[in-house]
Amino acid sequence: MNKIEAYWQHYCDSEGMENIRYKEAFQFGEKADWLAGLVEVGTKTATCSSFPLYEREGESLPEIGDYQIVLNSQDEPVAIIQSYSVEIYPFNEVPVGFALAEGEGTYEEWKEAHVAFFSRELSAQGLEFTEEMLTVCDRFKKVFPK
């Protein structure tokens, strides 16, 4: 059993859960350690992603109740989160409260960082960022470790 599966199994055992799977194990963006640390301490309770990239990659959108394992830059699990709200907004209509729940600074800092990130990610896929681009806004709670 690899360390990610062992981490998940430890959580399931501690909660008395059986036959439940997690959606994915992933790193947050380009600053995986910093962002994972924000989740660990409870500062980061939301994340947004590019809807066009879900379409391009054929990935399913997050759903309420999904479990995900947050990894650091070394692909080591640091937390398990569970989605409790998933909404889609044009980038320029993402609510300020949501942006602040991402825990990455002021709204202006959030916007600047996300414009740069989405521009790079979309460009790599032959797509262009626009302020009207749809974003998938996922609010979550950290369920492990408690």
Side-chain angles (χ1 to χ4, degrees):
M1 179 179 302
N2 70 36
K3 59 187 165 190
I4 294 169
E5 292 299 322
Y7 192 79
W8 175 250
Q9 191 59 53
H10 180 67
Y11 169 66
C12 290
D13 290 348
S14 72
E15 296 295 314
M17 299 176 4
E18 294 183 29
N19 302 318
I20 296 177
R21 296 294 310 148
Y22 59 92
K23 179 178 174 72
E24 66 178 333
F26 72 101
Q27 294 178 6
F28 278 112
E30 298 167 326
K31 299 177 180 176
D33 291 329
W34 179 61
L35 296 170
L38 293 177
V39 171
E40 284 183 283
V41 299
T43 302
K44 182 173 183 60
T45 59
T47 190
C48 73
S49 46
S50 165
F51 185 82
L53 289 179
Y54 279 99
E55 290 183 314
R56 173 64 59 100
E57 296 167 5
E59 271 188 55
S60 63
L61 296 177
E63 296 180 14
I64 293 171
D66 281 350
Y67 290 97
Q68 298 175 72
I69 300 174
V70 178
L71 306 174
N72 65 19
S73 64
Q74 304 300 306
D75 284 333
E76 298 166 331
V78 298
I80 297 173
I81 58 175
Q82 185 178 31
S83 298
Y84 68 84
S85 171
V86 179
E87 298 179 291
I88 297 174
Y89 296 101
F91 180 79
N92 59 3
E93 294 179 25
V94 171
V96 171
F98 180 88
L100 296 176
E102 287 211 47
E104 301 171 34
T106 66
Y107 175 78
E108 292 73 22
E109 291 167 327
W110 172 88
K111 184 175 181 181
E112 181 180 322
H114 282 74
V115 166
F117 176 74
F118 287 144
S119 294
R120 284 190 299 276
E121 292 290 307
L122 289 163
S123 177
Q125 296 289 327
L127 301 170
E128 187 175 332
F129 171 79
T130 68
E131 293 262 334
E132 293 77 30
M133 174 196 78
L134 294 179
T135 57
V136 179
C137 297
D138 182 359
R139 288 185 182 265
F140 56 81
K141 60 184 175 183
K142 180 181 79 163
V143 296
F144 187 78
K146 295 191 182 219

